[in-house]
Amino acid sequence: MDTDLYRSGTLYPDPRGLFGGQVAAQALRAAGHTVGTDRPAHSLHGYFLRPGDPSRPVIFEVHRDRDGRSYSARRVVARQGGKVVLNLAASFHRPEDGPDLQAEVMPHEPAPELGSPAQLEADTVGIDFVEAAGARSVLADAQARPSRVWARSQVPLPDDPHLQACVLTYLSDILTGLTTLTVPSPEMLLTSLDHAIWFHRPVDLNNWVLMDLTGHSIAAGRGMYSGRLFSEDGRLVAGLTQESLFRTSPTGRPGSRRIRRKPQN
């Protein structure tokens, strides 16, 4: 729209409201437009302040806090109707030579084949999800949201590290690790409060990535979990943490997205 001012073009009539992963991914995309392609995102932290309307555009205002020799820092304020729905801070870094080590080992989970009976259908668009064999969710019904899934883009993505990070941000918010601790009721609100991601290594979401989530705490009406994302060859490509609202919906309606198993043929 103007210098460092962007407007979303994605309108989706979702009765649950604006998907947090979508607005966070678009905020990161706006920030990435102000940074050179040689500096991919290495971390972000977002606070979700208000529910958004998915049928209306979102305005993103980017603040260029700093451009150093190796790092660039950005803040993004996302608004609808003049009210802030998301504050996001992101940092970008020119990759450097050095050791490449990881302590985390990917769980033994063979990459899936599309069309398998365990394939899942999520309330997002453009992403394939397949439940991993070692998913640790305590949920057992048809509306279960597993804690460990394989995911990849349904459409070809270009070799653009900024866009790849945005797609990873989008898919990172669809599930919850809190299902490893308890069974939320259908009326339970699991709305995202804040979400952080660290991008450790380049990722290609044209291929499968394994997302493994673990719940850590539920207290005072909030739940916190963390997650790891691995490429098919076992590289730790990203880590995440999220704190979510965890309380009964005052309207009696489900307050979070579902992921469900596709009917078997």
Side-chain angles (χ1 to χ4, degrees):
M1 297 175 64
D2 206 334
T3 303
D4 298 341
L5 195 63
Y6 300 85
R7 179 173 58 199
S8 68
T10 302
L11 304 180
Y12 182 68
D14 191 333
R16 285 168 294 272
L18 184 63
F19 175 41
Q22 175 183 316
V23 68
Q26 291 173 334
L28 182 63
R29 187 62 170 164
H33 280 310
T34 71
V35 179
T37 57
D38 63 331
R39 297 188 180 195
H42 75 87
S43 66
L44 66 81
H45 197 131
Y47 282 94
F48 299 95
L49 305 181
R50 289 181 177 86
D53 183 349
S55 67
R56 299 173 57 192
V58 181
I59 305 299
F60 300 92
E61 181 181 1
V62 181
H63 299 265
R64 305 188 188 212
D65 288 346
R66 181 176 185 269
D67 284 306
R69 288 180 296 178
S70 300
Y71 289 86
S72 294
R74 298 289 186 267
R75 284 178 298 120
V76 185
V77 180
R79 293 186 176 90
Q80 277 189 332
K83 295 182 178 180
V84 179
V85 297
L86 170 75
N87 278 330
L88 183 135
S91 185
F92 301 80
H93 175 227
R94 181 185 296 115
E96 304 174 19
D97 294 331
D100 188 341
L101 309 169
Q102 69 181 61
E104 303 283 351
V105 177
M106 185 178 75
H108 179 65
E109 295 283 359
E113 295 291 336
L114 280 179
S116 64
Q119 189 171 343
L120 302 171
E121 180 179 315
D123 290 327
T124 57
V125 295
I127 303 292
D128 281 319
F129 289 94
V130 175
E131 183 175 0
R136 302 183 309 282
S137 175
V138 298
L139 296 176
D141 59 49
Q143 297 296 317
R145 293 197 294 173
S147 62
R148 185 182 294 169
V149 298
W150 288 97
R152 73 176 181 185
S153 174
Q154 292 178 346
V155 297
L157 298 175
D159 184 17
D160 177 348
H162 287 306
L163 182 60
Q164 293 276 353
C166 294
V167 177
L168 190 149
T169 299
Y170 176 79
L171 73 88
S172 72
D173 190 41
I174 183 61
L175 298 176
T176 175
L178 298 180
T179 56
T180 66
L181 297 179
T182 188
V183 181
S185 72
E187 296 79 26
M188 188 67 68
L189 278 171
L190 290 175
T191 305
S192 303
L193 293 174
D194 64 279
H195 194 69
I197 304 176
W198 293 266
F199 305 95
H200 303 308
R201 293 172 177 82
V203 61
D204 182 0
L205 287 162
N206 293 301
N207 302 315
W208 292 108
V209 295
L210 180 70
M211 182 163 62
D212 184 31
L213 306 175
T214 302
H216 297 291
S217 174
I218 297 175
R222 303 185 310 272
M224 183 266 180
Y225 67 91
S226 65
R228 309 170 298 169
L229 290 101
F230 297 90
S231 60
E232 286 187 61
D233 60 3
R235 293 180 305 121
L236 182 66
V237 296
L240 66 91
T241 60
Q242 183 175 117
E243 189 174 45
S244 303
L245 193 70
F246 193 91
R247 65 187 183 203
T248 302
S249 170
T251 62
R253 294 178 300 177
S256 60
R257 281 169 166 71
R258 297 281 180 153
I259 187 166
R260 48 193 178 271
R261 292 166 178 80
K262 287 185 177 180
Q264 298 184 28
N265 293 328

